[in-house]
Amino acid sequence: MPTDTDLPALTDAPRRGLLPRILPPGLYAGRASALIERSLLVSSRLWLVFASGVVEPVLYLFAFQIGFGKLVGDVAGPGGQTMSYVAFVAPALLAASAMNGAVFDSTFNVFFKFRYAKLYDAMLATPIGPLDIAIGEIAFAVLRGGAYATAFLAVMGAMGLIASPWALLMLPVALLVALAFASVGMVCATFLRSPTQFDYIQLAIMPMFLFSTTFYPLSVYPDGLQVVVQCIPLYHGVELMRGLSVGVLDISMIGHVAYLLVMVAIGMFATSRRLAGLLLR
């Protein structure tokens, strides 16, 4: 009859992949996919919540197409090209849609699991580390933001608001925007102590939505404020989307991508450190 010593210990299991070999065993076990699978199973019953995230920006788009856009007329877009106002706003709404989906999932859902359900404490009793939790939750938030962006891009195509084949790259850009905001959003969720503090999240999201050149170009701001606007994270996603929508590519796009990648790196590092400090103490 086999004894306990004859059974392979869980901690002695081979750790496949580069990250599991480099990082400490307690931090990362390469099992982030388990969290993604769980989130997909749970969200399959909440499809109406997902649909609401697509409907809101689409309603904005139709409102500008039918109403406000007719008052404004044509505007100057990337590279000085003349474009309709609704075509000017649509790429920005796409970036905002990806941001909203990622932020909602990486803040409210994470907060509930962390503070009330104590789900992460249970996960750490299994071969899952804090970095697995961070990667899994952020990845699912990116999937949600990407789903919103895909639906919105399809609506843009149906409305004739895609003017260049380069617009197909708007989808991977939307995933990058979602990844950047999900990474930072999850860090913020670990600092929240009550549901009332979600007002702070809205206090950050709403100004970004309104002032990141979403509804008007950067040139309308005074010179001093232009520098401030260029520091807002959503601005970089909007500018990438708008340039791709009309096929105007320039060197500044590298800077926009770099800004978002830095957000991802900082967010992933800070999230794993915060979860490790809070859950493994």
Side-chain angles (χ1 to χ4, degrees), residues 76 217 246:
V246 293

Side-chain angles (χ1 to χ4, degrees), residues 127-244:
I128 289 179
L131 188 56
D132 294 283
I133 295 174
I135 293 175
E137 294 290 8
I138 290 171
F140 183 73
V142 171
L143 289 176
R144 183 170 186 166
Y148 288 179
T150 302
F152 192 84
L153 189 61
V155 173
M156 285 180 60
M159 295 177 65
L161 300 177
I162 296 178
S164 169
W166 288 103
L168 294 176
L169 292 179
M170 293 167 69
L171 185 55
V173 169
L175 294 177
L176 177 59
V177 171
L179 178 59
F181 280 97
S183 302
V184 175
M186 192 168 178
V187 179
C188 297
T190 63
F191 287 97
L192 301 179
R193 297 187 178 275
S194 71
T196 58
Q197 292 181 332
F198 276 96
D199 290 341
Y200 298 140
I201 302 293
Q202 284 300 113
L203 188 62
I205 293 299
M206 186 56 67
M208 277 197 288
F209 175 64
L210 294 175
F211 300 114
S212 299
T213 68
T214 309
F215 301 109
Y216 31 80
L218 184 66
S219 58
V220 305
Y221 291 100
D223 292 340
L225 282 179
Q226 289 186 15
V227 178
V228 176
V229 171
Q230 289 174 317
C231 295
I232 299 175
L234 184 59
Y235 164 80
H236 300 276
V238 169
E239 291 300 301
L240 281 170
M241 294 287 194
R242 194 165 280 149
L244 290 171

Side-chain angles (χ1 to χ4, degrees), residues 101-117:
V103 168
F104 179 84
D105 204 273
S106 64
T107 55
F108 182 80
N109 285 345
V110 168
F111 174 80
F112 176 78
K113 294 174 184 176
F114 178 61
R115 294 290 179 184
Y116 293 101

